[in-house]
Amino acid sequence: MRKQIETLKVLEEISRGASELLDQREKIRPKLPRTFDRPDAVEYLKCDYRTIEKYAAELGINPKAYSENGIRWMLDINQIYKIRDVLPETTLLKKKTKPFKRQSDQKTQVIVVQNQKGGVGKTLSCITVATGIAVEYHEVYRVAVIDMDGQSTLSAYQPSINGDDRTTIGELIQINPETLSYKDFIRDSVSDTTIPNLKIIPATQRDRDIESIFHEGVFNGSIQSPYSRVKNVIEVISGDFDIILIDTPPSLGYASINAYNAATSVIIPLGANQNDTDATCQYLSYLPKIYKNLISQGHEGYDFVKFLLTNYEENSVSSLEIREELNEYFNGYLFSTTFKKSEAVKLCSLEKNSIYDLSKSMYSGHKTTFKNAKLNADQILIDIMLQVRNVWDKETDEYEQEKTCYSSDISKKT
Ligand SMILES: Nc1ncnc2c1ncn2[C@@H]1O[C@H](COP(=O)(O)OP(=O)(O)OP(=O)(O)O)[C@@H](O)[C@H]1O
Ligand SMILES: [Mg+2]
């Protein structure tokens, strides 16, 4: 009895320490918007700094506003976006890229990031890709992330920017889609992040219990169609986004199945080591069974299913062997780029940043390491966007073909 009471005391003390540590982290490291010094801004906007300063002045933005604090020149991402909007069409950036406007026949790409194996880089891949697509593409894709994992790791990368309590995915899935104000409520619940064209439906510690919320709802009849709850939410917001990424927990419960059911494509990250590969292969052997159930729920099929090798150590023979083996057996399904193990990625993630939350000037470590990590991530973005653009192109082609068939049918009749 005495030992049990002592154990309880120890656990309570540890729990208090853990909560304080989390609070402290949030206090010391509030999430700030990405900032750009002059070389960063020149590189990002692809024009000389005089042009940037000219349009900044026209907009009433002063890059030297913080010079009294020792910061000679700085723009934040909101200001950089405003300047980008007004740059003339003759500038290199505007000549090279036009804002993307998704056509009505091109569907929102909803990408689920899943593997039942824990710690394979699901969350980091998800937030890196989502942030990268939002920030690095001047097409200004409208991106959202949904955190289906009650551990809420992804949400910590984009915490509340005004300190307000945000509506979480756990709360949204409990609302009956038949409710009158359902659509308005869902739309209002999507939260801002430090990046203007990246939004989030977060999870919090309250969602740790997400599986029991589902179980309870199914048992007491308050949650009908329990595998379509996330799909229902996405249907409401899909018009506002081009790409939605869903991070999932390392399990195959209601949360992950909902994500699979809502998705149009799948990315399965796996670590470049024997344990991850073995566990992932076991998981893959029963995915067809799960998908058959989704077909019965009306799923229309995925546009792509791809594997992303993560934590890849370039100079390791075992990493290379695993990569070759996967290439042999998953031929064509493995992204050709691997997410390399990087000190820069780790250092950024210590402060809950993806590498796209920082410009080179903001990174405190070795700049070459940062540059290499970014080049690697850029290549992953290219691989993924190639898939997405292919899907959109195909949808447009199919639409055009349908239109042609339809008009030739009509002309035959007339
Ligand atoms: N490319 C990388 N370079 C360095 N560290 C990495 C890289 N990718 C992932 N990590 C580290 O690996 C750990 C696990 O990553 P992450 O949290 O993304 O995995 P996960 O699959 O989401 O885990 P869980 O199953 O618990 O949700 C983290 O500490 C992360 O910082
Ligand atoms: Mg995770």
Side-chain angles (χ1 to χ4, degrees):
M1 184 73 173
R2 224 184 86 207
K3 207 165 169 187
Q4 288 168 332
I5 292 170
E6 274 171 12
T7 306
L8 206 57
K9 267 190 193 159
V10 168
L11 292 178
E12 275 167 359
E13 203 174 308
I14 294 172
S15 153
R16 257 197 312 279
S19 304
E20 278 168 20
L21 177 66
L22 283 177
D23 286 351
Q24 186 69 359
R25 281 229 172 114
E26 271 168 26
K27 264 183 223 144
I28 300 172
R29 300 178 180 131
K31 182 91 175 179
L32 298 171
R34 175 168 162 180
T35 57
F36 298 73
D37 71 356
R38 214 155 70 176
D40 293 332
V42 166
E43 193 187 332
Y44 189 76
L45 293 175
K46 297 183 175 51
C47 58
D48 61 86
Y49 79 86
R50 283 180 208 286
T51 309
I52 298 173
E53 286 184 350
K54 178 178 165 229
Y55 289 98
E58 277 182 16
L59 291 163
I61 296 168
N62 178 12
K64 295 173 185 157
Y66 302 99
S67 51
E68 273 183 12
N69 303 335
I71 302 168
R72 280 172 41 205
W73 201 102
M74 188 180 87
L75 292 170
D76 71 29
I77 192 160
N78 298 292
Q79 296 168 323
I80 277 272
Y81 271 31
K82 280 184 189 145
I83 296 169
R84 178 174 66 185
D85 285 347
V86 298
L87 283 181
E89 296 300 317
T90 48
T91 54
L92 181 65
L93 186 142
K94 286 290 170 82
K95 272 191 212 158
K96 272 181 83 174
T97 42
K98 299 269 170 281
F100 174 72
K101 187 135 191 15
R102 195 160 50 80
Q103 305 301 310
S104 55
D105 47 301
Q106 298 170 320
K107 288 198 298 280
T108 304
Q109 263 295 311
V110 182
I111 305 174
V112 56
V113 183
Q114 223 292 307
N115 190 336
Q116 196 182 20
K117 179 84 176 77
V120 293
K122 292 182 287 296
T123 302
L124 206 58
S125 305
C126 189
I127 195 69
T128 304
V129 169
T131 314
I133 293 174
V135 176
E136 295 300 312
Y137 284 78
H138 295 293
E139 283 88 348
V140 201
Y141 296 113
R142 301 163 304 162
V143 186
V145 278
I146 301 180
D147 189 355
M148 286 304 299
D149 186 357
Q151 294 178 91
S152 61
T153 318
L154 179 113
S155 305
Y157 281 79
Q158 282 297 347
S160 169
I161 49 178
N162 47 20
D164 287 355
D165 248 3
R166 303 182 290 185
T167 310
T168 72
I169 189 70
E171 286 155 352
L172 295 186
I173 50 126
Q174 291 179 70
I175 306 169
N176 185 344
E178 307 296 326
T179 315
L180 211 59
S181 55
Y182 180 73
K183 288 186 179 172
D184 290 338
F185 189 77
I186 300 285
R187 278 197 202 99
D188 289 348
S189 299
V190 180
S191 295
D192 289 334
T193 71
T194 49
I195 293 153
N197 55 326
L198 175 68
K199 308 286 173 185
I200 184 169
I201 298 183
T204 65
Q205 290 297 312
R206 294 196 299 275
D207 300 306
R208 269 202 163 277
D209 241 6
I210 201 157
E211 292 301 316
S212 357
I213 294 174
F214 273 111
H215 287 303
E216 215 168 289
V218 171
F219 279 130
N220 68 25
S222 65
I223 296 187
Q224 318 231 310
S225 306
Y227 299 110
S228 302
R229 285 288 164 138
V230 175
K231 197 174 177 179
N232 295 146
V233 169
I234 289 178
E235 269 164 10
V236 175
I237 58 168
S238 64
D240 302 328
F241 297 101
D242 303 312
I243 299 170
I244 298 175
L245 285 116
I246 315 178
D247 187 28
T248 55
S251 58
L252 255 180
Y254 280 107
S256 293
I257 306 276
N258 256 275
Y260 268 126
N261 198 23
T264 58
S265 294
V266 183
I267 292 180
I268 302 174
L270 75 159
N273 62 67
Q274 198 72 39
N275 287 354
D276 279 13
T277 320
D278 289 353
T280 305
C281 286
Q282 283 165 23
Y283 165 66
L284 294 173
S285 65
Y286 59 85
L287 265 193
K289 223 183 203 170
I290 288 169
Y291 190 68
K292 276 185 195 153
N293 292 329
L294 294 186
I295 295 176
S296 70
Q297 292 284 310
H299 195 277
E300 290 177 3
Y302 294 122
D303 292 317
F304 62 85
V305 178
K306 284 280 194 179
F307 294 86
L308 176 65
L309 203 52
T310 58
N311 253 316
Y312 186 78
E313 290 178 73
E314 245 181 327
N315 299 319
S316 141
V317 178
S318 63
S319 275
L320 182 68
E321 271 181 19
I322 285 171
R323 186 181 184 180
E324 283 178 350
E325 202 175 29
L326 291 176
N327 256 327
E328 191 185 334
Y329 288 91
F330 295 166
N331 183 25
Y333 294 107
L334 193 69
F335 279 121
S336 55
T337 311
T338 60
F339 195 0
K340 291 179 192 154
K341 186 171 191 154
S342 153
E343 194 50 37
V345 170
K346 249 188 180 158
L347 202 61
C348 288
S349 95
L350 254 187
E351 300 196 354
K352 290 287 177 275
N353 283 315
S354 82
I355 51 163
Y356 292 114
D357 285 307
L358 306 183
S359 302
K360 201 159 88 184
S361 63
M362 296 170 79
Y363 180 69
S364 55
H366 202 282
K367 303 286 182 197
T368 313
T369 319
F370 180 74
K371 195 177 139 207
N372 289 339
K374 202 162 163 293
L375 281 173
N376 171 229
D378 287 350
Q379 196 56 48
I380 295 170
L381 299 185
I382 290 172
D383 283 4
I384 294 175
M385 283 313 295
L386 198 68
Q387 295 291 327
V388 171
R389 296 300 308 220
N390 271 343
V391 175
W392 283 334
D393 287 349
K394 220 167 111 196
E395 284 170 343
T396 307
D397 284 350
E398 280 167 8
Y399 179 71
E400 291 301 327
Q401 273 172 17
E402 268 171 35
K403 239 174 43 185
T404 318
C405 287
Y406 179 70
S407 49
S408 69
D409 276 357
I410 295 212
S411 62
K412 269 184 213 157
K413 278 181 192 152
T414 51

